[in-house]
């Protein structure tokens, strides 16, 4: 059907019914979302929904990385990167207006991901795969430590951006 419009779909994973209800409340304004109890259920859905002839596009080329859509033009209602906030990857610094602060490798890689897709929720699993290069295990204290440091650096620069926690899911960058 050539008249069909593609609608972005968010797939949320929450093991308990209470977490699924909470995630549904968070995603309530989203045009289309699916909440499942496990990664296996999400994979089953994707296997059934995505034609076998389509080659999956993966982010960063990492094995097991989630498929990502090609970049599209931002709509007016989509969050945008805060103006004048950037990461200089050559010098590994965060720049806001005329101020800069040094970043560690993990801070740089974490913030680089979030700045590349403002408003997008990055799951713990995806962040671990793309920033640390391994699977997310345990309670996530390593991610939370990096988030604390980056938040402190953003506040020190008085940048108009913040990192929001999406409880039990991950993080996203939004203009303050």
């Amino acid at each position: 059907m050539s008249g069909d419009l593609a609608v972005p779909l968010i797939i949320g994973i929450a093991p308990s019914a209470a977490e699924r209800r909470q995630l549904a409340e968070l995603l309530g304004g989203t045009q289309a979302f699916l909440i499942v109890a496990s990664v296996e259920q999400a994979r089953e859905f994707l296997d059934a929904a995505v034609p076998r002839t389509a080659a999956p596009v993966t982010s960063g080329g990492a094995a097991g990385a989630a498929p990502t859509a090609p970049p599209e033009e931002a709509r007016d209602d989509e969050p945008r990167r805060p103006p004048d906030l950037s990461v200089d990857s050559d010098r590994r610094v965060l720049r806001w207006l005329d101020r800069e602060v040094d970043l560690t490798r993990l801070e740089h890689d974490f913030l680089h991901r979030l700045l590349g897709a403002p408003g997008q929720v990055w799951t713990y699993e995806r962040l671990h795969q793309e920033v640390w290069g391994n699977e997310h295990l345990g309670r996530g204290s390593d991610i939370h430590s990096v988030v604390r440091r980056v938040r402190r650096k953003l506040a020190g620069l008085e940048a108009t951006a913040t990192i929001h926690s999406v409880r039990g899911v991950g993080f996203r960058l939004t203009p303050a």
Side-chain angles (χ1 to χ4, degrees), residues 30 47 63 68 73-74 83 85 123 142 145 163 165:
T30 307
D47 286 344
T68 59
E73 288 294 318
L85 182 65
T123 65
D142 47 358
S145 175
I163 298 172
S165 297

Side-chain angles (χ1 to χ4, degrees), residues 7-8 12-13 17 19 21 32 36-37 42 50 52 57 63 67 76 79 119 134 171:
V7 175
I13 301 172
E19 291 170 323
R21 278 191 297 277
V36 295
V50 178
R52 292 284 180 203
V57 178
D76 289 337
N134 58 28
F171 298 96

